[in-house]
């Protein structure tokens, strides 16, 4: 007789490939360009705040993240009642789906997009995932998404810029989409990479959620602010939704994380200087890859997307042999984080050598 078994839904969910997803370098992989991490060390003031908080980790953290929420409300000039904090944007997204969708309800998102959406929707919450294919250029197909809305739709996630394609949703097309979505459907703008957007026509989630009563925004301190290891994300949502999220996230963020996030908000100018360096490196890498002949599109995030399809694993293997960890999505493409200059240089050199050795094999159209 078999012992206790997990729910069968878990067997149909792809496991996130952790072997090249970040963390400490290994003997094989010394250049980690897989997890979209910030390549810079913590800012001195932020590190000081985290160390000071670590001296008190025998005590429970502030259960309501009161000071952090006050700092966020001040930063975005919105009422504190609209904010909730969680364990990274993934934790906030999980709470949103749990709060809004029950078994039988539908959660819509583009595909391919952030890998957590189907996992949380189906395996954790028991709701029905509705994945709408991206356009051939890697954008959200908002017309197709609007047509898929039903009476069972409870949540729609728009990942902008989209992970992994790096494409941002435009301001005007988002307004047209929202006009077609019923008011009782919560549209969530997942803006984990918002700080890296340079397209002036891209939608600004903060402005949109201030205008529309059924829009929420999810952001994170993991990317631009460089606090990935501390797991802090937040939502700006309609007040009843935000209140539910705060109830569900009991002791969800450590005091070390809260203090580091508060210090990071105070250091936003320094953070954005680093973001500017990443954007400059992104443009430089894109130009170099285009010159080499790679099928790379312009990204609005801190990563690049190479839609290599059946050649994805082959190229990722070449990168691994060079000591570079990239994120490979089998039969679809390779995502490459914009990292430190030395890592970026090595990646471009590896890509150029790959092109020389495989010049007679064209990339998929």
């Amino acid at each position: 007789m078999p012992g206790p078994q997990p729910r069968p839904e878990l067997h149909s969910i792809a496991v996130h490939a952790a072997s090249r997803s970040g963390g400490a370098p290994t003997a094989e992989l010394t250049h980690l360009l897989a997890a979209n991490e910030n390549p810079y060390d913590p800012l001195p003031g932020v590190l000081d705040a985290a160390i000071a908080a670590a001296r008190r980790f025998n005590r429970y953290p502030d259960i309501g993240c009161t000071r952090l929420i006050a700092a966020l409300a001040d930063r975005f000039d919105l009422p504190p009642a609209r904010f909730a904090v969680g364990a990274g944007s993934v934790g906030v997204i999980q709470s949103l789906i749990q709060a809004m969708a029950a078994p039988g309800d539908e959660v819509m998102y583009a595909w391919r997009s952030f890998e957590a959406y189907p996992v949380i929707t189906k395996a954790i919450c028991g709701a029905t995932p509705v994945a709408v294919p991206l356009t051939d250029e890697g954008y959200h197909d908002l017309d197709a998404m609007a047509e898929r809305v039903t009476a069972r739709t409870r949540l729609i996630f728009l990942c902008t810029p989209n992970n992994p394609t790096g494409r941002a949703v435009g301001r005007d097309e988002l307004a047209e989409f929202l006009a077609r979505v019923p008011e009782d459907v919560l549209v969530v703008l997942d803006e984990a990479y918002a700080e890296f957007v340079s397209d002036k026509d891209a939608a600004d989630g903060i402005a949109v959620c201030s205008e529309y009563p059924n829009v929420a925004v999810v952001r994170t301190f993991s990317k631009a602010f460089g606090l990935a290891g501390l797991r802090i994300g937040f939502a700006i949502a309609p007040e009843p939704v935000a209140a539910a999220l705060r109830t569900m996230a009991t002791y969800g963020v450590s005091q070390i994380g809260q203090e580091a996030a508060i210090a990071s908000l105070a250091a936003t100018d320094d953070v954005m200087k680093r973001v500017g360096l990443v954007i400059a490196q992104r443009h430089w890498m894109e130009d170099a890859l285009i010159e080499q002949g790679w099928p790379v599109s312009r990204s609005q995030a801190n990563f690049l997307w190479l839609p290599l399809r059946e050649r994805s694993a082959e190229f990722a293997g070449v990168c691994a042999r060079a000591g570079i960890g990239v994120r490979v999505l089998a039969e679809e493409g390779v995502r490459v984080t914009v990292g430190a200059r030395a890592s970026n240089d090595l990646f471009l050199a590896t890509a150029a050598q790959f092109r020389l050795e495989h010049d007679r094999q064209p990339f998929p159209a």
Side-chain angles (χ1 to χ4, degrees):
M1 181 175 180
Q5 297 294 311
R7 289 167 45 216
E9 293 90 342
L10 294 174
H11 298 303
S12 64
I13 300 297
V15 177
H16 183 75
S19 60
R20 295 176 185 166
S21 296
T26 66
E28 297 79 21
L29 300 177
T30 56
H31 299 271
L32 305 181
L33 303 182
N36 302 338
E37 296 152 325
N38 191 310
Y40 300 106
D41 293 335
L43 288 166
V46 175
L47 184 59
D48 292 343
I51 290 172
R55 296 191 179 99
R56 305 188 301 275
F57 65 48
N58 58 308
R59 304 294 184 183
Y60 283 109
D62 173 8
I63 189 172
C65 300
T66 309
R67 291 178 55 246
L68 175 53
I69 285 178
L72 287 165
D74 182 66
R75 167 71 176 80
F76 295 108
D77 193 25
L78 289 168
R82 296 199 59 185
F83 289 83
V85 180
S89 60
V90 176
V92 175
I93 289 167
Q94 179 171 326
S95 293
L96 273 167
I97 297 176
Q98 288 176 318
M100 301 299 297
D105 292 332
E106 294 178 346
V107 177
M108 186 186 299
Y109 48 84
W111 197 254
R112 177 172 287 268
S113 192
F114 185 36
E115 292 167 280
Y117 299 151
V119 175
I120 297 171
T121 298
K122 184 176 182 180
I124 296 178
C125 299
T128 302
V130 177
V132 180
L134 296 167
T135 68
D136 291 341
E137 295 77 26
Y139 289 97
H140 283 69
D141 189 340
L142 294 183
D143 284 338
M145 295 183 80
E147 292 171 0
R148 295 288 297 276
V149 174
T150 72
R152 297 167 57 197
T153 306
R154 297 287 288 141
L155 275 167
I156 300 174
F157 282 95
L158 304 180
C159 184
T160 176
N162 186 52
N163 177 10
T165 61
R167 299 297 202 176
V169 173
R171 179 176 54 250
D172 293 340
E173 63 174 337
L174 178 59
E176 294 175 3
F177 174 74
L178 292 173
R180 300 175 63 183
V181 175
E183 292 184 356
D184 62 346
V185 176
L186 184 66
V187 178
V188 181
L189 304 180
D190 183 354
E191 295 191 323
Y193 304 94
E195 292 83 2
F196 299 100
V197 174
S198 56
D199 181 0
K200 295 181 180 179
D201 293 326
D204 175 4
I206 305 302
V208 174
C209 77
S210 299
E211 181 178 355
Y212 292 85
N214 65 327
V215 172
V217 173
V218 174
R219 290 194 177 185
T220 182
F221 284 91
S222 295
K223 309 303 183 183
F225 289 89
L227 305 186
L230 294 179
R231 313 308 305 127
I232 315 153
F234 64 94
I236 307 173
E239 289 191 14
V241 177
L245 299 183
R246 291 193 299 272
T247 300
M248 298 171 70
T250 303
Y251 291 129
V253 179
S254 73
Q255 199 64 41
I256 298 172
Q258 292 183 44
E259 298 300 330
I262 293 167
S264 294
L265 289 171
T268 295
D269 289 345
D270 291 330
V271 169
M272 294 309 295
K273 288 177 183 178
R274 291 180 166 186
V275 167
L277 296 175
V278 171
I279 292 174
Q281 284 282 294
R282 181 184 78 202
H283 290 318
W284 170 70
M285 292 176 71
E286 287 170 339
D287 289 343
L289 289 168
I290 290 171
E291 185 175 348
Q292 292 178 16
W294 290 86
V296 62
S297 56
R298 297 291 181 178
S299 173
Q300 292 296 311
N302 69 333
F303 56 81
L304 308 178
W305 173 244
L306 302 175
L308 304 183
R309 299 184 185 175
E310 66 269 13
R311 300 186 66 185
S312 300
E314 177 190 10
F315 178 63
V318 170
C319 289
R321 289 191 288 275
I324 305 167
V326 297
R327 184 76 174 96
V328 57
L329 302 174
E331 303 301 314
E332 295 186 57
V334 173
R335 192 191 67 199
V336 184
T337 306
V338 178
R341 180 58 187 263
S343 298
N344 299 338
D345 285 342
L346 179 60
F347 171 77
L348 290 175
T350 302
Q353 186 64 33
F354 185 93
R355 288 290 291 161
L356 288 173
E357 294 177 357
H358 299 79
D359 190 52
R360 296 181 181 179
Q361 300 180 43
F363 291 114

